[in-house]
Coordinates of all heavy atoms in Angstrom, one line a residue:
M1 N 127.9 110.4 178.9 CA 127.7 110.9 177.6 C 129.0 111.4 177.0 O 129.7 112.1 177.6 CB 126.6 112.1 177.6 CG 125.2 111.6 177.7 SD 124.6 110.9 176.2 CE 124.4 112.3 175.2
V2 N 129.2 111.1 175.7 CA 130.3 111.6 175.0 C 129.8 112.4 173.8 O 128.7 112.2 173.3 CB 131.4 110.6 174.6 CG1 132.0 109.9 175.8 CG2 130.7 109.5 173.8
E3 N 130.7 113.2 173.3 CA 130.3 113.9 172.0 C 131.5 114.0 171.1 O 132.6 113.9 171.5 CB 129.7 115.3 172.3 CG 130.6 116.2 173.0 CD 129.9 117.5 173.4 OE1 128.8 117.8 172.8 OE2 130.4 118.3 174.2
L4 N 131.2 114.0 169.8 CA 132.2 114.1 168.8 C 132.3 115.6 168.3 O 131.3 116.2 168.0 CB 131.8 113.3 167.6 CG 132.7 113.2 166.4 CD1 134.0 112.5 166.8 CD2 132.1 112.4 165.3
K5 N 133.5 116.1 168.3 CA 133.7 117.5 167.9 C 134.8 117.6 166.9 O 135.8 116.9 167.0 CB 134.0 118.4 169.1 CG 132.8 118.9 169.8 CD 133.3 119.9 170.9 CE 132.3 120.3 171.9 NZ 131.3 121.3 171.4
N6 N 134.7 118.5 165.9 CA 135.9 118.9 165.1 C 136.5 120.0 165.9 O 136.0 121.1 166.0 CB 135.4 119.4 163.8 CG 136.6 119.9 162.9 OD1 137.8 119.8 163.3 ND2 136.3 120.4 161.8
Y7 N 137.7 119.7 166.5 CA 138.3 120.7 167.4 C 138.7 121.9 166.6 O 138.8 123.0 167.2 CB 139.5 120.1 168.1 CG 139.9 121.0 169.2 CD1 139.1 121.4 170.2 CD2 141.2 121.6 169.2 CE1 139.4 122.3 171.2 CE2 141.6 122.5 170.1 CZ 140.7 122.9 171.1 OH 141.1 123.8 172.0
M8 N 139.0 121.8 165.3 CA 139.4 123.0 164.6 C 138.2 124.0 164.6 O 138.5 125.2 164.6 CB 139.7 122.6 163.1 CG 141.0 121.9 163.0 SD 142.4 122.9 163.6 CE 143.8 121.9 163.0
E9 N 137.0 123.5 164.5 CA 135.9 124.4 164.6 C 135.8 125.1 165.9 O 135.5 126.3 165.9 CB 134.6 123.6 164.3 CG 133.4 124.4 164.1 CD 132.1 123.6 163.8 OE1 132.2 122.5 163.4 OE2 131.0 124.2 164.0
V10 N 136.0 124.4 167.0 CA 136.0 125.0 168.3 C 137.1 126.1 168.3 O 136.8 127.3 168.8 CB 136.3 124.0 169.4 CG1 136.4 124.6 170.8 CG2 135.2 122.9 169.4
M11 N 138.3 125.8 167.8 CA 139.4 126.8 167.9 C 139.1 128.0 167.0 O 139.4 129.1 167.4 CB 140.7 126.1 167.4 CG 141.4 125.4 168.6 SD 143.0 124.8 168.1 CE 144.0 126.4 168.1
V12 N 138.5 127.8 165.8 CA 138.3 128.9 164.9 C 137.3 129.9 165.6 O 137.5 131.1 165.6 CB 137.8 128.4 163.5 CG1 137.2 129.6 162.7 CG2 138.9 127.8 162.8
W13 N 136.2 129.4 166.2 CA 135.3 130.3 166.9 C 136.0 131.0 168.0 O 135.7 132.2 168.3 CB 134.1 129.5 167.4 CG 133.1 129.2 166.3 CD1 132.7 128.0 165.8 CD2 132.3 130.2 165.6 NE1 131.8 128.1 164.8 CE2 131.5 129.4 164.6 CE3 132.1 131.5 165.6 CZ2 130.6 130.0 163.8 CZ3 131.2 132.2 164.7 CH2 130.5 131.4 163.8
Q14 N 136.8 130.3 168.7 CA 137.5 130.8 169.9 C 138.4 132.0 169.5 O 138.5 133.0 170.2 CB 138.3 129.7 170.5 CG 138.9 130.1 171.9 CD 139.5 128.8 172.5 OE1 139.0 127.7 172.4 NE2 140.7 129.0 173.0
Y15 N 139.1 131.9 168.4 CA 140.1 133.0 168.0 C 139.5 134.0 167.1 O 140.2 135.0 166.7 CB 141.3 132.3 167.4 CG 142.1 131.6 168.5 CD1 142.2 130.2 168.4 CD2 142.7 132.3 169.5 CE1 142.9 129.5 169.4 CE2 143.4 131.6 170.5 CZ 143.5 130.2 170.4 OH 144.2 129.5 171.4
L16 N 138.3 133.8 166.6 CA 137.7 134.7 165.6 C 137.7 136.1 166.0 O 138.2 137.0 165.2 CB 136.3 134.2 165.3 CG 135.5 135.1 164.2 CD1 136.2 134.9 162.9 CD2 134.1 134.6 164.1
D17 N 137.2 136.5 167.2 CA 137.1 137.8 167.6 C 138.5 138.5 167.7 O 138.7 139.7 167.4 CB 136.4 137.9 168.9 CG 134.9 137.7 168.8 OD1 134.4 138.0 167.7 OD2 134.3 137.2 169.7
E18 N 139.5 137.7 168.2 CA 140.8 138.2 168.4 C 141.4 138.6 167.0 O 142.0 139.6 166.9 CB 141.7 137.1 169.0 CG 143.0 137.5 169.5 CD 143.7 136.3 170.1 OE1 143.1 135.5 170.9 OE2 144.9 136.1 169.8
I19 N 141.2 137.7 166.0 CA 141.8 138.0 164.7 C 141.0 139.2 164.0 O 141.6 140.1 163.4 CB 141.6 136.8 163.8 CG1 142.2 135.5 164.4 CG2 142.3 137.0 162.4 CD1 143.7 135.6 164.8
L20 N 139.7 139.2 164.2 CA 138.9 140.3 163.6 C 139.3 141.6 164.2 O 139.4 142.6 163.5 CB 137.4 140.1 163.9 CG 136.7 139.1 163.0 CD1 135.2 138.9 163.5 CD2 136.7 139.6 161.5
A21 N 139.7 141.7 165.5 CA 140.1 142.9 166.2 C 141.4 143.4 165.5 O 141.6 144.6 165.6 CB 140.3 142.6 167.7
G22 N 142.2 142.5 165.0 CA 143.4 143.0 164.4 C 143.3 143.4 162.9 O 144.3 143.8 162.3
H23 N 142.1 143.3 162.4 CA 141.9 143.7 161.0 C 141.0 144.9 160.9 O 139.9 144.9 161.5 CB 141.3 142.6 160.2 CG 142.3 141.5 159.8 ND1 142.7 140.5 160.7 CD2 142.9 141.2 158.6 CE1 143.5 139.7 160.1 NE2 143.7 140.1 158.9
Q24 N 141.5 145.9 160.2 CA 140.7 147.1 160.0 C 139.7 146.9 158.9 O 140.0 146.3 157.8 CB 141.6 148.3 159.6 CG 142.6 148.7 160.7 CD 141.9 149.2 162.0 OE1 141.0 150.0 161.9 NE2 142.4 148.8 163.1
G25 N 138.5 147.5 159.0 CA 137.5 147.6 157.9 C 136.9 146.3 157.5 O 136.3 146.2 156.4
V26 N 137.0 145.2 158.3 CA 136.3 144.0 158.0 C 134.9 144.0 158.6 O 134.8 144.4 159.8 CB 137.1 142.8 158.3 CG1 137.4 142.7 159.8 CG2 136.5 141.5 157.8
C27 N 133.9 143.6 157.9 CA 132.5 143.5 158.4 C 132.4 142.4 159.5 O 133.0 141.3 159.2 CB 131.6 143.3 157.3 SG 129.9 143.1 157.8
S28 N 131.7 142.6 160.6 CA 131.6 141.5 161.5 C 130.1 141.2 161.8 O 129.7 140.8 162.9 CB 132.3 141.9 162.9 OG 131.7 143.1 163.4
C29 N 129.3 141.4 160.7 CA 127.9 140.9 160.8 C 127.9 139.4 160.9 O 128.9 138.7 160.6 CB 127.1 141.4 159.7 SG 127.3 140.6 158.1
E30 N 126.7 138.8 161.3 CA 126.7 137.4 161.4 C 127.0 136.6 160.2 O 127.8 135.6 160.2 CB 125.3 137.0 161.9 CG 125.2 135.6 162.4 CD 123.8 135.1 162.9 OE1 122.8 135.6 162.3 OE2 123.7 134.3 163.8
R31 N 126.5 137.1 159.0 CA 126.8 136.4 157.8 C 128.3 136.4 157.5 O 128.8 135.3 157.1 CB 126.0 137.1 156.6 CG 126.3 136.5 155.2 CD 125.8 135.1 155.1 NE 126.6 134.3 154.1 CZ 126.2 134.1 152.9 NH1 125.0 134.5 152.5 NH2 126.9 133.5 152.0
C32 N 129.0 137.5 157.7 CA 130.4 137.6 157.3 C 131.2 136.7 158.3 O 132.2 136.0 157.9 CB 130.9 139.0 157.3 SG 130.3 139.9 155.9
R33 N 130.8 136.7 159.6 CA 131.5 135.9 160.6 C 131.4 134.4 160.2 O 132.4 133.7 160.3 CB 130.9 136.1 162.0 CG 131.2 137.5 162.6 CD 130.4 137.8 163.8 NE 130.7 136.9 164.9 CZ 131.6 137.2 165.8 NH1 132.2 138.4 165.8 NH2 131.9 136.4 166.8
Y34 N 130.2 133.9 159.8 CA 130.0 132.5 159.4 C 130.8 132.2 158.2 O 131.4 131.2 158.0 CB 128.6 132.2 159.3 CG 127.9 131.7 160.5 CD1 127.4 132.6 161.5 CD2 127.8 130.4 160.8 CE1 126.8 132.2 162.7 CE2 127.2 129.9 162.0 CZ 126.8 130.8 162.9 OH 126.2 130.4 164.1
D35 N 130.8 133.2 157.2 CA 131.6 133.0 156.0 C 133.1 132.8 156.3 O 133.8 132.0 155.8 CB 131.5 134.2 155.1 CG 130.2 134.1 154.2 OD1 129.6 133.0 154.1 OD2 129.8 135.1 153.7
I36 N 133.6 133.7 157.3 CA 135.0 133.6 157.7 C 135.3 132.2 158.3 O 136.3 131.6 158.0 CB 135.4 134.7 158.6 CG1 135.4 136.1 157.9 CG2 136.7 134.5 159.3 CD1 135.3 137.3 158.8
V37 N 134.4 131.8 159.2 CA 134.6 130.5 159.9 C 134.6 129.4 158.8 O 135.5 128.5 158.8 CB 133.6 130.3 161.0 CG1 133.6 128.8 161.5 CG2 133.8 131.3 162.1
A38 N 133.7 129.4 157.9 CA 133.5 128.3 156.9 C 134.8 128.3 156.0 O 135.4 127.2 155.8 CB 132.3 128.6 156.0
L39 N 135.3 129.4 155.6 CA 136.5 129.5 154.7 C 137.7 129.0 155.5 O 138.5 128.2 155.0 CB 136.7 130.9 154.3 CG 135.9 131.4 153.1 CD1 136.1 132.9 152.9 CD2 136.4 130.7 151.8
A40 N 137.8 129.5 156.7 CA 139.0 129.1 157.6 C 139.0 127.5 157.7 O 140.0 126.9 157.6 CB 138.9 129.8 158.9
L41 N 137.8 127.0 158.0 CA 137.7 125.5 158.2 C 138.0 124.7 156.9 O 138.5 123.6 157.0 CB 136.4 125.1 158.8 CG 136.2 125.5 160.2 CD1 134.8 125.3 160.7 CD2 137.1 124.6 161.1
N42 N 137.8 125.3 155.8 CA 138.1 124.7 154.5 C 139.6 124.7 154.3 O 140.1 123.8 153.5 CB 137.4 125.4 153.3 CG 135.9 125.0 153.3 OD1 135.5 124.0 153.9 ND2 135.1 125.8 152.7
F43 N 140.3 125.6 154.9 CA 141.8 125.6 154.8 C 142.4 124.6 155.7 O 143.6 124.3 155.5 CB 142.4 127.0 155.1 CG 142.0 128.1 154.2 CD1 141.5 129.3 154.7 CD2 142.2 128.0 152.8 CE1 141.2 130.4 153.8 CE2 141.9 129.1 152.0 CZ 141.4 130.3 152.5
L44 N 141.7 124.2 156.7 CA 142.3 123.4 157.8 C 141.9 122.0 157.7 O 140.8 121.7 157.4 CB 141.9 124.0 159.2 CG 142.4 125.4 159.5 CD1 141.5 125.9 160.7 CD2 143.8 125.3 160.0
P45 N 142.8 121.0 158.1 CA 142.4 119.6 158.2 C 141.5 119.5 159.4 O 141.8 120.1 160.4 CB 143.7 118.9 158.3 CG 144.6 119.9 159.0 CD 144.2 121.2 158.5
P46 N 140.4 118.7 159.3 CA 139.6 118.5 160.5 C 140.4 117.7 161.5 O 141.2 116.8 161.2 CB 138.4 117.7 159.9 CG 138.9 117.0 158.7 CD 140.0 117.9 158.1
R47 N 140.1 117.9 162.8 CA 140.7 117.2 163.9 C 139.5 116.8 164.8 O 139.1 117.5 165.7 CB 141.6 118.1 164.7 CG 142.9 118.4 164.0 CD 143.8 117.2 164.0 NE 144.7 117.4 162.8 CZ 145.6 116.5 162.4 NH1 145.8 115.4 163.1 NH2 146.3 116.6 161.3
Y48 N 139.0 115.6 164.6 CA 137.9 115.1 165.4 C 138.4 114.6 166.7 O 139.4 113.8 166.7 CB 137.1 114.1 164.6 CG 136.3 114.7 163.5 CD1 136.8 114.6 162.2 CD2 135.2 115.5 163.8 CE1 136.1 115.3 161.2 CE2 134.5 116.1 162.8 CZ 134.9 116.0 161.5 OH 134.2 116.6 160.5
V49 N 137.7 115.0 167.7 CA 138.0 114.5 169.1 C 136.8 114.0 169.8 O 135.7 114.6 169.5 CB 138.7 115.5 170.0 CG1 140.1 115.8 169.5 CG2 137.9 116.8 170.0
V50 N 136.9 113.0 170.6 CA 135.8 112.5 171.4 C 136.0 113.1 172.8 O 137.1 112.9 173.4 CB 135.7 111.0 171.4 CG1 134.5 110.5 172.3 CG2 135.5 110.4 170.0
T51 N 135.0 113.8 173.3 CA 135.2 114.3 174.6 C 134.0 113.9 175.5 O 132.9 113.7 175.0 CB 135.2 115.9 174.6 OG1 134.0 116.3 174.0 CG2 136.4 116.4 173.8
A52 N 134.2 113.7 176.8 CA 133.2 113.5 177.7 C 132.5 114.8 177.9 O 133.1 115.9 178.1 CB 133.7 113.0 179.0
K53 N 131.1 114.8 177.8 CA 130.4 116.0 178.0 C 130.7 116.6 179.4 O 130.6 115.9 180.4 CB 128.9 115.8 177.9 CG 128.4 116.2 176.5 CD 126.9 116.3 176.5 CE 126.5 116.8 175.1 NZ 125.2 116.3 174.6
G54 N 131.1 117.9 179.4 CA 131.4 118.5 180.7 C 132.8 118.1 181.3 O 133.1 118.5 182.3
G55 N 133.5 117.2 180.5 CA 134.8 116.7 181.0 C 135.9 117.7 180.8 O 135.7 118.7 180.2
T56 N 137.1 117.3 181.1 CA 138.2 118.1 181.0 C 138.7 118.1 179.5 O 138.5 117.1 178.8 CB 139.4 117.7 181.9 OG1 139.9 116.5 181.4 CG2 139.0 117.7 183.3
W57 N 139.3 119.1 179.1 CA 139.8 119.3 177.7 C 141.3 119.2 177.7 O 142.0 119.8 176.9 CB 139.3 120.6 177.1 CG 137.9 120.5 176.8 CD1 136.8 120.4 177.6 CD2 137.3 120.6 175.4 NE1 135.7 120.4 176.9 CE2 135.9 120.5 175.6 CE3 137.9 120.7 174.2 CZ2 135.1 120.5 174.5 CZ3 137.1 120.7 173.1 CH2 135.7 120.6 173.2
A58 N 141.9 118.5 178.6 CA 143.4 118.4 178.8 C 144.1 118.0 177.5 O 145.0 118.6 177.0 CB 143.8 117.5 179.9
K59 N 143.6 116.9 176.9 CA 144.2 116.4 175.7 C 144.1 117.4 174.5 O 145.0 117.6 173.7 CB 143.5 115.1 175.2 CG 144.2 113.9 175.8 CD 143.6 112.6 175.2 CE 143.8 111.4 176.0 NZ 142.9 110.3 175.7
V60 N 142.9 118.0 174.5 CA 142.6 119.0 173.5 C 143.5 120.2 173.6 O 143.9 120.8 172.6 CB 141.1 119.2 173.6 CG1 140.7 120.5 172.9 CG2 140.3 118.1 173.0
R61 N 143.9 120.6 174.8 CA 144.7 121.7 175.0 C 146.1 121.5 174.3 O 146.7 122.5 173.8 CB 145.0 122.0 176.5 CG 143.8 122.5 177.2 CD 143.4 123.9 176.9 NE 142.1 124.2 177.3 CZ 141.2 125.0 176.7 NH1 141.6 125.7 175.6 NH2 140.0 125.2 177.1
A62 N 146.5 120.3 174.3 CA 147.8 120.0 173.6 C 147.6 120.2 172.1 O 148.5 120.8 171.4 CB 148.2 118.5 173.9
L63 N 146.5 119.9 171.6 CA 146.2 120.1 170.1 C 146.2 121.6 169.9 O 146.7 122.1 168.8 CB 144.8 119.6 169.8 CG 144.6 118.1 169.5 CD1 143.1 117.9 169.2 CD2 145.4 117.7 168.3
E64 N 145.7 122.4 170.8 CA 145.6 123.8 170.6 C 146.9 124.4 170.4 O 147.1 125.2 169.5 CB 144.9 124.4 171.9 CG 144.6 125.9 171.7 CD 143.7 126.4 172.8 OE1 142.9 125.6 173.3 OE2 143.9 127.5 173.2
Q65 N 147.9 124.0 171.2 CA 149.3 124.6 171.0 C 149.9 124.1 169.7 O 150.5 124.9 169.0 CB 150.2 124.0 172.1 CG 149.8 124.6 173.5 CD 150.9 124.3 174.5 OE1 151.6 123.3 174.4 NE2 150.9 125.1 175.6
Q66 N 149.6 122.9 169.3 CA 150.1 122.4 168.1 C 149.6 123.1 166.8 O 150.3 123.3 165.9 CB 149.8 120.9 168.0 CG 150.5 120.1 166.9 CD 150.1 118.6 167.0 OE1 149.6 118.1 168.0 NE2 150.4 117.9 165.9
F67 N 148.3 123.5 166.9 CA 147.7 124.0 165.7 C 147.4 125.5 165.7 O 146.8 126.0 164.8 CB 146.4 123.2 165.4 CG 146.6 121.8 165.0 CD1 146.3 120.8 165.9 CD2 147.2 121.5 163.8 CE1 146.6 119.4 165.5 CE2 147.5 120.2 163.4 CZ 147.2 119.2 164.3
Y68 N 147.8 126.1 166.8 CA 147.5 127.6 167.0 C 147.9 128.4 165.7 O 147.1 129.2 165.2 CB 148.1 128.1 168.2 CG 148.0 129.6 168.4 CD1 146.8 130.1 168.9 CD2 149.0 130.5 168.1 CE1 146.6 131.5 169.0 CE2 148.8 131.8 168.2 CZ 147.6 132.3 168.7 OH 147.5 133.7 168.8
V69 N 149.1 128.2 165.3 CA 149.6 129.0 164.2 C 148.8 128.7 162.9 O 148.4 129.7 162.2 CB 151.1 128.8 163.9 CG1 151.6 129.5 162.7 CG2 151.9 129.2 165.1
D70 N 148.5 127.5 162.6 CA 147.7 127.1 161.5 C 146.3 127.7 161.5 O 145.8 128.2 160.5 CB 147.5 125.6 161.4 CG 148.8 124.9 161.1 OD1 149.8 125.5 160.6 OD2 148.9 123.6 161.3
V71 N 145.7 127.7 162.7 CA 144.4 128.2 162.9 C 144.4 129.8 162.6 O 143.5 130.3 161.9 CB 143.8 127.9 164.3 CG1 142.5 128.7 164.6 CG2 143.5 126.4 164.3
V72 N 145.3 130.4 163.3 CA 145.4 131.9 163.1 C 145.6 132.3 161.7 O 145.0 133.2 161.1 CB 146.5 132.5 164.1 CG1 146.8 133.9 163.7 CG2 146.0 132.3 165.5
T73 N 146.5 131.5 161.0 CA 146.8 131.8 159.6 C 145.6 131.6 158.7 O 145.2 132.4 157.9 CB 147.9 130.9 159.1 OG1 149.1 131.1 159.9 CG2 148.3 131.2 157.6
A74 N 144.8 130.5 159.0 CA 143.6 130.2 158.2 C 142.6 131.3 158.4 O 141.9 131.7 157.4 CB 143.1 128.8 158.6
I75 N 142.4 131.7 159.6 CA 141.4 132.8 159.9 C 141.8 134.1 159.2 O 141.0 134.8 158.6 CB 141.2 133.0 161.4 CG1 140.7 131.8 162.1 CG2 140.2 134.2 161.7 CD1 140.7 131.8 163.6
S76 N 143.1 134.4 159.3 CA 143.6 135.6 158.7 C 143.3 135.6 157.2 O 142.9 136.6 156.6 CB 145.1 135.9 158.9 OG 145.2 136.0 160.3
N77 N 143.6 134.5 156.5 CA 143.4 134.3 155.1 C 141.9 134.5 154.8 O 141.5 135.1 153.8 CB 143.9 133.0 154.6 CG 145.4 132.9 154.6 OD1 146.1 133.9 154.6 ND2 145.9 131.6 154.6
A78 N 141.1 133.9 155.6 CA 139.6 133.9 155.4 C 139.1 135.4 155.6 O 138.2 135.8 154.8 CB 138.9 133.0 156.4
V79 N 139.6 136.1 156.6 CA 139.2 137.5 156.8 C 139.5 138.3 155.6 O 138.7 139.1 155.1 CB 139.9 138.0 158.1 CG1 139.8 139.6 158.1 CG2 139.3 137.4 159.3
T80 N 140.7 138.1 155.0 CA 141.2 138.9 153.8 C 140.2 138.6 152.7 O 139.8 139.5 152.0 CB 142.6 138.5 153.5 OG1 143.4 138.7 154.6 CG2 143.1 139.3 152.3
L81 N 139.8 137.4 152.5 CA 138.9 137.0 151.4 C 137.6 137.6 151.5 O 137.0 138.2 150.6 CB 138.8 135.5 151.3 CG 139.9 134.7 150.5 CD1 139.8 133.2 150.7 CD2 139.9 135.1 149.0
V82 N 137.0 137.5 152.7 CA 135.7 138.0 153.0 C 135.6 139.5 152.9 O 134.7 140.2 152.4 CB 135.1 137.5 154.3 CG1 133.8 138.2 154.8 CG2 134.9 136.0 154.3
K83 N 136.7 140.1 153.4 CA 136.9 141.6 153.3 C 136.8 142.1 151.9 O 136.2 143.1 151.6 CB 138.2 142.0 154.0 CG 138.4 143.4 154.3 CD 139.6 143.6 155.2 CE 140.2 145.0 155.0 NZ 141.5 145.1 155.8
S84 N 137.5 141.4 151.0 CA 137.6 141.9 149.6 C 136.3 141.6 148.9 O 136.0 142.2 147.9 CB 138.8 141.2 148.9 OG 138.6 139.8 148.8
K85 N 135.5 140.6 149.3 CA 134.3 140.2 148.6 C 133.2 139.7 149.6 O 133.0 138.5 149.7 CB 134.6 139.1 147.6 CG 133.6 139.1 146.5 CD 134.2 138.2 145.4 CE 133.4 138.3 144.1 NZ 132.4 137.3 143.9
P86 N 132.7 140.6 150.4 CA 131.6 140.2 151.4 C 130.4 139.7 150.7 O 130.0 140.2 149.6 CB 131.3 141.4 152.2 CG 132.1 142.6 151.6 CD 132.8 142.1 150.4
H87 N 129.8 138.7 151.3 CA 128.6 138.1 150.7 C 127.3 138.7 151.3 O 126.2 138.4 150.9 CB 128.5 136.6 151.0 CG 129.5 135.8 150.1 ND1 129.9 134.6 150.4 CD2 130.1 136.2 149.0 CE1 130.8 134.2 149.5 NE2 130.9 135.1 148.6
H88 N 127.4 139.4 152.4 CA 126.3 139.8 153.2 C 125.2 140.5 152.4 O 124.0 140.5 152.7 CB 126.6 140.6 154.5 CG 127.5 141.8 154.2 ND1 128.1 142.5 155.2 CD2 127.9 142.3 153.0 CE1 128.8 143.5 154.6 NE2 128.7 143.4 153.4
C89 N 125.6 141.3 151.4 CA 124.6 142.1 150.6 C 123.8 141.2 149.6 O 122.8 141.6 149.2 CB 125.3 143.2 149.8 SG 126.1 144.3 150.9
D90 N 124.4 140.0 149.2 CA 123.8 139.2 148.2 C 122.4 138.7 148.7 O 121.5 138.4 147.8 CB 124.7 138.0 147.9 CG 126.0 138.4 147.4 OD1 126.2 139.6 147.1 OD2 126.9 137.5 147.3
D91 N 122.3 138.5 150.0 CA 121.0 137.9 150.5 C 119.9 138.9 150.7 O 118.8 138.5 151.0 CB 121.3 137.1 151.8 CG 122.3 136.0 151.5 OD1 122.4 135.5 150.4 OD2 123.0 135.6 152.5
D92 N 120.2 140.1 150.7 CA 119.2 141.1 151.0 C 118.2 141.3 149.9 O 118.4 141.1 148.8 CB 119.9 142.5 151.3 CG 120.7 142.4 152.6 OD1 120.4 141.5 153.4 OD2 121.5 143.3 152.8
Ligands
LIG1 ZN1 128.8 141.5 156.7

């Protein structure tokens, strides 16, 4: 079995908590977290990879080094946007 993944999405979720920890006063409710991830992914070009389910991620690790700075920058920009205008209250 193989699966198709947008590796940028994997990376954004992976670094989200780390970036959030570095920002004061940003809401980390589920709605705001998803908003941050969606915005960050809209800043980033998609990187689709085919992986064997449960297989090694060796090739993908190389992508991680290549795009780390872009991913961190995109998340930081997204956090700043969501912090200035959170959507979580709109749905209540
Ligand atoms: Zn929130």
Side-chain angles (χ1 to χ4, degrees):
M1 281 290 286
V2 293
E3 57 185 346
L4 182 66
K5 272 185 192 282
N6 176 6
Y7 191 61
M8 286 301 188
E9 187 177 342
V10 176
M11 276 188 76
V12 168
W13 282 113
Q14 189 172 317
Y15 292 110
L16 180 65
D17 287 329
E18 192 180 316
I19 309 298
L20 280 175
H23 283 79
Q24 297 294 316
V26 61
C27 178
S28 61
C29 77
E30 191 179 35
R31 176 64 206 261
C32 288
R33 290 166 68 90
Y34 271 84
D35 278 343
I36 290 164
V37 170
L39 278 167
L41 286 170
N42 286 339
F43 292 133
L44 293 162
R47 290 286 151 184
Y48 288 101
V49 291
V50 177
T51 60
K53 258 192 177 151
T56 67
W57 284 67
K59 270 188 201 161
V60 160
R61 292 286 162 214
L63 280 178
E64 187 168 329
Q65 289 188 340
Q66 193 178 343
F67 293 108
Y68 175 80
V69 173
D70 292 344
V71 168
V72 168
T73 303
I75 299 171
S76 297
N77 290 341
V79 165
T80 304
L81 279 170
V82 169
K83 191 172 156 182
S84 65
K85 205 167 190 263
H87 287 162
H88 52 189
C89 298
D90 298 351
D91 299 335
D92 291 341

